[in-house]
Amino acid sequence: MPDVENLLREELKRTAEKVQPELLRPLQVPTRRPSWRPRLLPFTAAAAVIAVITAGAFVAGLAAAHKPAAHKPAAHKPVVSGSAPASLPRFYVTTSSSPGGRGIQAVVRTSASGQVTGTVHVPSALPVEWADSGGTFVTAAADDRSFIIGVQGGQAPTKSGLDLRLFRFAISHAGKPGHLTELAPAPMRNETTEGIALSPDGKLLAVSLMNADSVAAIQVLDLATGATRTWTAPAHSVYIPGPPSWADGSRVIAFTWLRSTQSGLMAAPRGIQLLDTAAPGDNLAAGTLIVPNGVVAAGSVVSARITPDGRDVIVVTWRDLTPHASTHTVVVQFAELAASTGRLVRLLRTETERYDFAHVITVEDSLGVLSLSSQGRYALVQGTQFGWLDVGGPDQGRFTPLPAVPAGQYVNFAAW
């Protein structure tokens, strides 16, 4: 039996002894996020319980925060206002189920207003309900015109791995999507994709994944030749990589990592690691750790992306101020770290909300720094709301909500 399953079973058993049965409510299965792979579905309930208990361990030195009434995610309705900066990318792309639930589509919107400029159908063998909850991926080159959609398929979602299909398309100056072209068969077979990232020049695609034996890897695919190079974590390391991002002229890849030997898969903090693709070797764990314990300013790192110049890393952190309460007061923060040291440079934005038990897991599991503009000034982010955040422009910390998915849902992947 895998170490992670033993860990979850033992901790759940200890926790269950403290539970008062009369206080339990029926468990609602949360939707979202591909990073909790299909192979971990049998452990979802256990991880959820452990998450609520262990999240409090990461809280330290917090000031008293305003506590609004507990609510469901559907309360937020994006309203775009104010003028958009001239250097803001003009368009962003997300994926969703097609109208009437007939397949999956890529949706192009203007960054200034969120208005839809075009859609394109994406072939998929996955059930439609996965379109909004992690069955698809999207990434873009630095030109804000070239996009790649990744779709997992080939097996039932409950199997240990899925094949990855890749489709490329471009958008016009007016934001109209062109013809969708499937790339040569991707080498990721019977594996579970965690995220993809197109290099700034559009020539290389980085893919973070887990294979059927729970071995983590990052593969870089040359889109012109089909050649691949793979970095693999040591066997039995229970080492889970997050979505990759590129820097330093398509040489350095940054990604979050999670060691599931820590208590509670969903509450365990993610460290941040840098991989120099020009260096010799193929050991994924040999890269540079810049945030080894995954905790920044008393919050647990959930997602991170390196800026194109390689100088900084933009992260989103999470902390639950009331992990044992029936409603959870959560603090979501976006911050800038120095890539050379991992130290906090500045806090960009803080969001405080309250959620009931059924939704607090979904919110944490959906947080992300999803995409950075070509100069690293603006980021598409999913916090308690989806939108763009000024991370290096003239008005750092400014957040503008954007439409992307139906109210009450969250964006797992978006790109510009």
Side-chain angles (χ1 to χ4, degrees), residues 24-66:
L24 291 177
R25 293 175 292 175
L27 178 63
Q28 299 183 36
V29 179
T31 59
R32 313 253 41 98
R33 205 81 170 180
S35 59
W36 307 114
R37 293 162 308 287
R39 73 173 61 87
L40 293 180
L41 288 177
F43 314 132
T44 300
V49 174
I50 298 170
V52 175
I53 296 170
T54 58
F58 302 119
V59 180
L62 297 175
H66 172 65

Side-chain angles (χ1 to χ4, degrees), residues 87-105:
S87 57
L88 187 74
R90 294 187 61 202
F91 306 101
Y92 66 97
V93 174
T94 59
T95 60
S96 68
S97 55
S98 300
R102 298 180 179 178
I104 294 174
Q105 64 180 359

Side-chain angles (χ1 to χ4, degrees), residues 117-207:
T117 60
T119 63
V120 59
H121 176 73
V122 180
S124 173
L126 281 177
V128 174
E129 58 267 24
W130 275 48
D132 296 322
S133 60
T136 58
F137 309 88
V138 59
T139 181
D143 60 5
D144 192 34
R145 293 290 186 271
S146 303
F147 294 83
I148 286 183
I149 302 291
V151 180
Q152 294 187 109
Q155 293 190 37
T158 53
K159 296 294 184 180
S160 59
L162 298 168
D163 297 341
L164 179 66
R165 298 176 66 187
L166 300 171
F167 302 89
R168 192 166 200 163
F169 72 99
I171 61 176
S172 69
H173 183 75
K176 301 299 182 182
H179 179 69
L180 198 70
T181 302
E182 184 167 9
L183 302 179
M188 302 77 185
R189 300 295 178 186
N190 194 30
E191 297 174 339
T192 303
T193 302
E194 301 292 333
I196 64 176
L198 189 59
S199 62
D201 59 11
K203 297 180 179 180
L204 303 174
L205 184 72
V207 182

Side-chain angles (χ1 to χ4, degrees), residues 255-277:
F255 59 96
T256 55
W257 58 268
L258 184 153
R259 292 187 185 278
S260 57
T261 53
Q262 297 181 21
S263 179
L265 282 175
M266 299 184 75
R270 299 155 180 80
I272 301 174
Q273 186 160 330
L274 301 180
L275 174 66
D276 185 350
T277 62

Side-chain angles (χ1 to χ4, degrees), residues 7-26:
L7 174 68
L8 289 174
R9 289 183 182 278
E10 292 172 4
E11 193 147 354
L12 181 59
K13 181 179 179 181
R14 289 194 296 270
T15 301
E17 294 173 352
K18 304 176 183 179
V19 173
Q20 301 178 45
E22 65 274 11
L23 298 180
L24 291 177
R25 293 175 292 175

